[in-house]
Amino acid sequence: MTPVTARIPEIHAVDASHVFERVAAQTAPVVIRGLASSWPLVEKGLESIAEASRYLLGFYQDTPVTAFVSESDIGGRIFYTDELADTNFRQVKTTLGWVLDRIRLHEGDSAPPTVYMGSAALDHFLPGLSAANSLPLGGIKATVRIWIGNRTTVAAHYDVLDNIACVCAGRRRFTLFPPDQLANLYVGPIDFTPAGQSVSLVDLNEPDFDRYPRFAEALKHAQCAVLEPGDAIFVPSMWWHHVEGLESFNILINHWWRDVPAHMGPPGDALLHAILNIRDLPAAQRKAWQGIFDHYVFEPGSHTADHIPRHRLGALGELDEDTARRMRALLRNNLNR
Amino acid sequence: MANHVLLDNVTHKNLRIRTVLGKGRGYDVNVVRVFPSEFTQLQREYPLFFVKNAESGHFETIALLGFSDHENLYLTGVGWDAEYVPLTVQRQPFLIGFQEQVVDGVPRQIPVVHVDLDHPSIGDADGEPVFLPHGGESPYLQRINSILAAIRQGHEASRLLSQLLVGLELIESIAVNVEFDDGSKQGLAGLYTINEDKLRGLSANGLKELHGRGHLQDIHLMLASLLSVKRLVERKNRLLSIDGGTA
């Protein structure tokens, strides 16, 4: 089915308590087999859907959840309707019990209606579950999320955060593209997205090369892996990942984190600001700004500010909390016009 | 009828609000919600009471503006005749709404600004602009934002105050009976205030609790405000004499 043959490199026998250190130096994806195989949720999932559901509900305190639901005709592809008129699913406020029941009800269907509860904060919805069913974080400030659904596909997208995702039940196929494949992925709108992130508009498993010819090039750089229960994957920040839940019941728990000072906001804000203020400049001016951004932002070095006395570096020096505050106030003020 | 919608800087880019508070602009009411944070400024000009919310059964703090249903004696031909205007009047036609937003995987009820598009203060070409030319927030909207934030905190403060006073059995109903220069009389029902006798007889612990949470001053300001009933009657009398309403 998948047109990708290259495999994501794998490592085995990684001690869960050192996994964050282990991937810290890593900028490429890696599959870590069996990292979560001793989690109780993984063991229950191997028994049956019913066992895993019962185990989850043991932690559930009736906090309303948001599920994406759709008819079977979308084939589990969380996406848009024709011409991107709308999303092809609707969001319902419901209970975890309803989500699990609905998945189980259609367990044997060859074309089940789509049920998908994604990116739910584990400690908020299932307090206590993380104790035995997530990676030891050490000093890392990670947000831990749970994803429950039947056969679903989320088109290739990037996240700003580094990610270690662990399959707890079912199987998941991850297909990854390096960040530089952006132009070959035919990425959709940045301000109207299916689930928060811009996605590739190409259907990975049935690519329309007439419409998306450059996607053939993207495929040359793609690598994939199928994760079994207990397997994990490190998806580095900014890597495009296309994710498919392959079984009638899939659970994933992932850990998102980034190791940057707390004063740094979402880089995407700077992109929007640049689109607003730079993209439509006359070509020569835009070119000059490209040089300025390279000089100050993308390729800073000794040429950038070594000639400035240290006490006058300001925003060009190492950013501390106070300098960041001053910059934020200035930006906020300038934006309000 | 109210028509509350989420305020946004595209749909409402040209929205202007007439900020002069005048008659026939939705302010024809004889009570308004007020909050402890305003008591200091309010008590010199407005009588302050508790009323019982018919739905929740909780006591809420209000300022009395007039003696009959739609009588607002602070409204005049040239605006609101008082040094201080209550926050819930200043906020008009804006109000706080809540919108669910997912923050770090957790759904949160985030306060957002709503506007009542059917409010009579809307739509004047010479009103205050809500947005700046490119969609930023005008100083007027920034002021509204801080008013709405103060109201949000005020609801909580008012709830805590009445909860504490109910616990200490310090709230009693009060019959307000007034007589105007034209000889007519009016009685107001449904108002509550502090029982001064019980306040005087309050145990040291009770006093400590009131004082500790900063509510002792609120209580004294409410009691002092009762003197403003007389001033409200004077407003009514002035109106009666202007109207030539001689008995």
Side-chain angles (χ1 to χ4, degrees):
Chain A
M1 187 86 149
T2 170
V4 178
T5 50
R7 292 286 168 263
I8 299 168
E10 298 189 5
I11 50 179
H12 298 259
V14 173
D15 182 350
S17 55
H18 298 298
V19 67
F20 288 101
E21 294 157 40
R22 178 78 192 262
V23 300
Q26 187 100 20
T27 52
V30 64
V31 166
I32 311 155
R33 295 286 175 195
L35 183 68
S37 52
S38 64
W39 293 2
L41 179 58
V42 173
E43 290 166 4
K44 305 282 179 194
L46 288 171
E47 288 177 39
S48 66
I49 296 184
E51 275 302 312
S53 297
R54 231 191 320 276
Y55 180 71
L56 286 177
L57 290 172
F59 294 90
Y60 184 53
Q61 296 177 350
D62 296 331
T63 312
V65 303
T66 300
F68 292 2
V69 297
S70 195
E71 304 313 316
S72 57
D73 59 352
I74 70 163
R77 189 179 183 217
I78 306 286
F79 198 65
Y80 298 101
T81 56
D82 283 349
E83 293 304 312
L84 281 54
D86 198 353
T87 57
N88 67 354
F89 56 88
R90 59 185 195 284
Q91 300 193 30
V92 294
K93 263 273 188 256
T94 182
T95 62
L96 180 61
W98 182 90
V99 169
L100 296 169
D101 283 348
R102 195 161 167 81
I103 291 172
R104 205 149 23 129
L105 183 67
H106 296 282
E107 185 185 351
D109 296 9
S110 57
T114 300
V115 190
Y116 183 71
M117 181 191 123
S119 197
L122 193 57
D123 288 340
H124 179 75
F125 293 99
L126 294 162
L129 184 75
S130 67
N133 298 283
S134 65
L135 297 170
L137 296 175
I140 302 244
K141 282 201 178 65
T143 172
V144 184
R145 310 290 180 90
I146 188 163
W147 313 64
I148 299 172
N150 50 13
R151 283 191 187 85
T152 56
T153 299
V154 174
H157 63 282
Y158 67 78
D159 296 310
V160 170
L161 304 177
D162 279 321
N163 187 358
I164 295 180
C166 305
V167 168
C168 299
R171 289 183 311 135
R172 251 184 167 80
R173 180 163 48 225
F174 281 79
T175 305
L176 271 54
F177 303 85
D180 65 8
Q181 289 307 301
L182 169 62
N184 298 329
L185 289 170
Y186 298 88
V187 175
I190 62 171
D191 41 17
F192 179 64
T193 64
Q197 292 295 105
S198 302
V199 299
S200 168
L201 298 184
V202 186
D203 186 344
L204 173 69
N205 293 327
E206 290 176 34
D208 179 347
F209 290 114
D210 291 334
R211 199 167 174 192
Y212 307 114
R214 293 190 306 274
F215 190 68
E217 179 63 24
L219 285 176
K220 291 183 193 163
H221 302 270
Q223 17 178 338
C224 84
V226 173
L227 271 57
E228 307 280 338
D231 291 345
I233 183 171
F234 168 60
V235 182
S237 164
M238 309 311 291
W239 277 66
W240 298 89
H241 48 292
H242 170 104
V243 186
E244 295 158 274
L246 299 176
E247 299 294 332
S248 54
F249 182 54
N250 302 283
I251 305 177
L252 177 101
I253 288 178
N254 84 305
H255 313 69
W256 263 323
W257 79 100
R258 67 171 182 162
D259 187 18
V260 298
H263 61 246
M264 287 181 68
D269 288 356
L271 175 66
L272 269 189
H273 204 159
I275 289 174
L276 188 63
N277 290 0
I278 293 176
R279 188 194 60 194
D280 298 334
L281 288 171
Q285 293 178 29
R286 195 171 64 236
K287 181 90 183 144
W289 278 104
Q290 189 169 7
I292 287 175
F293 270 75
D294 282 344
H295 185 73
Y296 289 111
V297 179
F298 296 111
E299 287 156 29
S302 57
H303 61 280
T304 310
D306 277 6
H307 51 284
I308 299 174
R310 281 184 60 82
H311 66 276
R312 279 288 171 224
L313 280 174
L316 297 180
E318 197 172 317
L319 283 195
D320 57 23
E321 179 63 30
D322 287 351
T323 312
R325 277 173 173 263
R326 281 190 281 272
M327 291 166 75
R328 189 176 307 279
L330 181 71
L331 274 176
R332 200 188 138 95
N333 198 37
N334 290 351
L335 276 170
N336 197 46
R337 54 191 286 258
Chain B
M1 286 303 288
N3 176 17
H4 298 160
V5 298
L6 179 67
L7 181 71
D8 86 73
N9 70 352
V10 175
T11 316
H12 307 123
K13 61 172 71 163
N14 297 319
L15 185 64
R16 283 170 178 265
I17 307 298
R18 185 158 53 170
T19 55
V20 178
L21 304 167
K23 290 186 176 179
R25 294 192 200 146
Y27 305 107
D28 305 327
V29 290
N30 75 325
V31 293
V32 286
R33 265 315 283 276
V34 293
F35 306 105
S37 64
E38 318 175 80
F39 282 2
T40 308
Q41 290 140 297
L42 286 167
Q43 56 89 23
R44 287 178 293 125
E45 302 181 281
Y46 303 84
L48 306 175
F49 295 98
F50 290 102
V51 295
K52 208 176 221 176
N53 183 307
E55 280 170 40
S56 67
H58 294 152
F59 287 104
E60 295 173 345
T61 44
I62 58 107
L64 188 66
L65 307 178
F67 296 101
S68 54
D69 268 1
H70 296 289
E71 181 177 67
N72 181 345
L73 294 167
Y74 296 81
L75 273 186
T76 69
V78 290
W80 193 282
D81 179 28
E83 275 182 33
Y84 180 79
V85 179
L87 292 172
T88 54
V89 175
Q90 290 188 57
R91 73 161 172 85
Q92 300 280 2
F94 298 96
L95 60 159
I96 306 165
F98 289 88
Q99 193 179 53
E100 183 173 302
Q101 290 174 17
V102 178
V103 181
D104 291 333
V106 178
R108 304 265 185 227
Q109 293 297 319
I110 307 292
V112 290
V113 178
H114 280 68
V115 58
D116 175 7
L117 289 178
D118 287 349
H119 195 275
S121 63
I122 276 183
D124 271 23
D126 57 352
E128 286 280 347
V130 176
F131 292 106
L132 297 173
H134 298 283
E137 295 184 341
S138 69
Y140 167 67
L141 180 56
Q142 290 179 343
R143 195 167 69 81
I144 290 290
N145 284 337
S146 58
I147 289 169
L148 293 177
I151 288 174
R152 229 182 123 220
Q153 290 160 6
H155 277 286
E156 181 63 7
S158 163
R159 194 183 63 78
L160 290 174
L161 174 65
S162 63
Q163 210 172 44
L164 187 63
L165 297 184
V166 167
L168 295 170
E169 299 182 337
L170 285 178
I171 297 185
E172 67 169 355
S173 95
I174 179 174
V176 176
N177 294 300
V178 293
E179 183 174 347
F180 305 114
D181 285 352
D182 65 356
S184 63
K185 293 178 182 175
Q186 192 136 19
L188 292 170
L191 299 175
Y192 297 78
T193 187
I194 313 292
N195 183 324
E196 284 191 83
D197 288 339
K198 283 199 174 169
L199 181 62
R200 271 192 292 273
L202 201 61
S203 69
N205 274 345
L207 273 178
K208 204 173 151 196
E209 197 174 355
L210 278 180
H211 182 64
R213 303 198 199 170
H215 291 319
L216 205 51
Q217 190 192 355
D218 296 336
I219 290 176
H220 287 301
L221 290 170
M222 283 191 84
L223 286 171
S225 80
L226 294 179
L227 294 171
S228 302
V229 173
K230 191 163 160 264
R231 272 172 232 149
L232 199 58
V233 171
E234 284 163 8
R235 282 177 188 267
K236 175 83 175 184
N237 284 334
R238 277 202 298 279
L239 208 63
L240 289 170
S241 69
I242 292 167
D243 289 352
T246 49

